[in-house]
Amino acid sequence: MTPTVRHAFLVAFLALAGLLAPAAGAEGELRLTEAGGTRFPDRSYVLSLPIGMSLDESRVRILENGEPVGQLSVVPADEAAEGEFGVVLVIDASNSMRGTAIAGAVEAARAFAEQRSPNQLVAILVFNSASSVLVPFTTDQDQIEAALAQPPALARETHVYDAVDAALALLREAEIAAGSVVVLSDGADTGSAVSRADVAGRARADGVRVFAVGLRSRGFDLAALEQLAGEAGGTYTEAASSDDLAVVFDVLGAKLASEYLVRYRSASTPDREVHVAVRVSGVDGIATSVYASPPLDATPSPP
């Protein structure tokens, strides 16, 4: 079975099983997410396509307020330089994950790492009442597998928002252009120092998407994870049991590995609302985004 057919099969399986609800419909959609690492007039975005598609600049058309942009470059994740794409896996290591849940989470993390592009950096962070970096950013598959050889130690409490905030700090420190956070938890937040709104706001400001995976349990809180993902530009996926986690993470890893980093030079004037529209040949629909060009700096430059 080829990788493309395999991913299509997995997506179909998840949709039938209800594991991708409500995110299943997004798998075939064109999505545009603002990325970091540039200063106006340069712009950068992550372009998400259906799994298995490939493209180059000739198939991408970008307009700003109806006008074509200049100096367009389209770089797939598997051809990007090291450090342009990076993901932090954030795994719940609270006591409620005891047994098959944490074993399934570790297996899922391995499945995700196997799908990544060769130059895609991966870091793994585990959390309970505190957050701990299990694997710093690396492209070394052996290092990732060694860190995931056995489940992490578990402890009390579930500080989801603090953990995601720590993941954002890792991405910021590494200066990754197209960063994502994938957070897995089976329960509600229980005492984070930061709020969901604060974390989501920081993610948007940094151009980082947060993807949430919920594992059903007695203490499960769908709203917390779903709202976090929605407010931070990602999607929410639900797993009915720990056995489903590896398949969910496999598909999510393949999805992120098939994305593109799009850069161009804006011709917009300062202090203006700019509407961005992207059309890709062969893909239905138009992806859109809006940003405000910065005001003109009134401070004269030093001689």
Side-chain angles (χ1 to χ4, degrees):
M1 186 180 292
T2 66
T4 299
V5 173
R6 179 166 174 261
H7 297 328
F9 170 79
L10 288 172
V11 171
F13 168 78
L14 289 175
L16 288 172
L19 298 178
L20 283 180
E27 290 296 328
E29 295 178 358
L30 191 66
R31 295 192 65 184
L32 189 69
T33 307
E34 188 172 344
T38 57
R39 293 184 61 185
F40 187 82
D42 294 326
R43 302 290 298 162
S44 64
Y45 290 88
V46 175
L47 182 63
S48 303
L49 300 173
I51 293 174
M53 286 199 64
S54 61
L55 55 81
D56 55 29
E57 286 91 343
S58 65
R59 295 180 58 191
V60 180
R61 180 172 172 79
I62 301 182
L63 304 177
E64 281 199 348
N65 290 340
E67 297 295 326
V69 301
Q71 301 182 31
L72 174 65
S73 71
V74 179
V75 180
D78 59 0
E79 296 179 12
E82 185 173 314
E84 289 192 310
F85 282 85
V87 183
V88 184
L89 297 181
V90 180
I91 300 173
D92 186 345
S94 62
N95 285 333
S96 62
M97 292 285 289
R98 176 182 301 113
T100 57
I102 193 63
V106 170
E107 182 183 353
R110 285 196 293 263
F112 183 95
E114 289 173 358
Q115 290 291 352
R116 66 179 181 83
S117 301
N119 287 334
Q120 183 184 46
L121 291 167
V122 172
I124 302 175
L125 182 150
V126 296
F127 70 95
N128 30 67
S129 61
S131 300
S132 176
V133 177
L134 193 64
V135 181
F137 277 118
T138 183
T139 59
D140 188 338
Q141 189 68 18
D142 291 338
Q143 182 181 354
I144 295 170
E145 291 178 358
L148 296 172
Q150 58 185 14
L154 306 183
R156 296 175 60 250
E157 300 188 2
T158 311
H159 292 195
V160 178
Y161 306 141
D162 286 348
V164 174
D165 200 39
L168 294 175
L170 288 177
L171 287 165
R172 199 177 303 121
E173 183 179 349
E175 298 182 343
I176 291 172
S180 302
V181 174
V182 178
V183 55
L184 164 66
S185 179
D186 75 334
D189 185 274
T190 57
S192 284
V194 297
S195 69
R196 187 192 74 239
D198 287 341
V199 171
R202 288 172 194 167
R204 291 193 304 270
D206 291 350
V208 175
R209 295 163 300 164
V210 177
F211 298 87
V213 178
L215 175 60
R216 280 207 167 270
S217 71
R218 285 179 296 179
F220 185 65
D221 183 358
L222 179 149
L225 291 173
E226 189 172 33
Q227 290 171 5
L228 174 62
E231 293 170 5
T235 55
Y236 169 75
T237 308
E238 187 175 308
S241 72
S242 58
D243 293 337
D244 301 324
L245 287 175
V247 181
V248 171
F249 272 65
D250 190 30
V251 172
L252 186 53
K255 179 179 174 61
L256 295 182
S258 64
E259 294 183 323
Y260 291 77
L261 184 60
V262 176
R263 291 189 173 105
Y264 64 85
R265 176 64 61 90
S266 174
S268 175
T269 53
D271 201 15
R272 186 181 182 191
E273 184 175 89
V274 182
H275 293 260
V276 182
V278 178
R279 184 183 292 277
V280 174
S281 175
V283 181
D284 293 336
I286 299 174
T288 60
S289 183
V290 181
Y291 74 93
S293 59
L296 189 65
D297 189 356
T299 305
S301 301

